């Protein structure tokens, strides 16, 4: 049975690489897919991984109906055997509903890839709707690591290497641009809570948290 599958994880855990691998495996078997993405680091209409792999994709701008797009492609003689959606967290809840309709009404598998929470640890609306609707949710097995070596579970936004917790939910940046004006870094919960990025960690020694001692 066709499924809507949500592959989730932090930044830098190989989501886009897996999306491209799934497309490659199916293409090798003669299947033709349709790729959607939104705000990819490589630019509009591109699906790219940090390993340097890139392919063309449809930019899922607000207002685009993925279901209608697939129907139009097929009605014009195109072949669509499956759908891949990268950066799915940036899609609107309505667009996620349309992905579910592709599965239910067109009998096509839809593979969606995205991060679940933003730099404030709040769910992206698109990811929330995927969690509500997906037939299956898969957590990526490639673990991103915090600068301390622990498993990274949170996405942090940095400005000049300093972590920030206020601002627009969507600002395109990259985990490699840690000293740029706007960048991103993956952290463990402990260091996200302490707002301690790799840059600030090397700027000084972390003082351990201590329990308050009641006065006599």
């Amino acid at each position: 049975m066709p499924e809507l599958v949500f592959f989730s994880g932090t930044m830098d855990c190989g989501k886009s690489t897996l999306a491209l691998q799934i497309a490659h495996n199916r293409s090798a078997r003669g299947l033709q897919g349709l790729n959607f993405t939104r705000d990819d680091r490589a630019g509009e209409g591109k699906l790219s991984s940090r390993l340097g792999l890139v392919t063309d994709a449809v930019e899922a701008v607000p207002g685009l109906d993925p279901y209608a797009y697939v129907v139009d492609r097929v009605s014009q003689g195109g072949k669509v055997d499956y759908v891949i959606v990268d950066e799915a967290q940036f899609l609107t809840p309505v667009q996620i509903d349309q992905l579910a309709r592709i599965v239910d009404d067109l009998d096509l598998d839809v593979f969606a890839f995205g991060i679940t929470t933003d730099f404030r640890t709040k769910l992206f609306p698109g990811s929330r709707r995927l969690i509500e609707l997906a037939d299956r949710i898969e957590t990526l097995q490639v673990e991103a690591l915090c600068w301390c070596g622990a498993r990274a579970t949170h996405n942090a936004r940095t400005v000049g290497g300093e972590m920030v917790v206020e601002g627009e939910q969507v600002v395109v940046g990259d985990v490699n641009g840690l000293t740029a004006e706007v960048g991103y870094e993956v952290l463990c919960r402990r260091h996200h809570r302490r707002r301690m990025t790799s840059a600030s960690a090397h700027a000084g020694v972390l003082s351990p948290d201590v329990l308050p001692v009641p006065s006599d």
Side-chain angles (χ1 to χ4, degrees):
M1 291 291 292
E3 291 184 305
L4 172 58
V5 186
F6 181 31
F7 295 89
S8 68
T10 62
M11 295 181 295
D12 210 21
C13 73
K15 296 182 299 301
S16 299
T17 301
L18 179 58
L20 291 165
Q21 183 67 54
I22 287 176
H24 171 76
N25 289 352
R26 280 160 175 72
S27 176
R29 295 295 178 265
L31 301 177
Q32 295 183 25
L34 185 58
N35 302 322
F36 292 93
T37 190
R38 174 78 186 278
D39 291 337
D40 188 274
R41 69 185 72 83
E44 184 174 337
K46 298 294 181 182
L47 194 168
S48 68
S49 78
R50 301 188 196 284
L51 298 182
L53 304 173
V54 62
T55 191
D56 293 330
V58 178
E59 188 74 12
V61 297
L64 181 138
D65 183 337
Y67 172 82
Y69 194 98
V70 173
V71 169
D72 184 62
R73 174 68 66 88
V74 173
S75 66
Q76 294 185 32
K79 182 182 179 184
V80 179
D81 296 307
Y82 62 91
V83 172
I84 287 177
V85 184
D86 198 24
E87 307 293 357
Q89 72 274 4
F90 295 147
L91 271 63
T92 66
V94 170
Q95 288 174 319
I96 301 303
D97 287 350
Q98 293 157 354
L99 296 181
R101 189 180 179 191
I102 291 173
V103 177
D104 297 339
D105 295 357
L106 303 181
D107 291 328
L108 299 178
D109 284 315
V110 174
F111 306 103
F113 300 79
I115 59 179
T116 51
T117 58
D118 63 16
F119 69 105
R120 302 165 300 183
T121 71
K122 304 297 183 181
L123 284 169
F124 282 98
S127 298
R128 179 187 296 113
R129 192 60 178 147
L130 275 166
I131 292 170
E132 293 167 347
L133 291 183
D135 297 295
R136 184 158 48 93
I137 300 173
E138 298 283 351
T139 301
L140 272 293
Q141 297 303 308
V142 177
E143 294 184 350
L145 298 179
C146 177
W147 59 264
C148 69
R151 179 178 176 234
T153 54
H154 290 63
N155 305 300
R157 178 182 295 170
T158 61
V159 176
E162 296 295 324
M163 180 176 158
V164 297
V165 293
E166 295 181 354
E168 295 292 329
Q169 185 175 52
V170 179
V171 176
V172 178
D174 192 73
V175 295
N176 295 322
L178 301 182
T179 60
E181 184 63 21
V182 176
Y184 289 91
E185 183 173 356
V186 288
L187 300 172
C188 63
R189 185 183 63 235
R190 177 183 292 106
H191 290 127
H192 190 281
R193 185 170 53 82
R194 293 176 179 175
R195 303 188 188 181
M196 193 166 190
T197 66
S198 58
S200 61
H202 289 91
V205 179
L206 175 66
S207 298
D209 291 340
V210 295
L211 294 174
V213 179
S215 57
D216 294 334

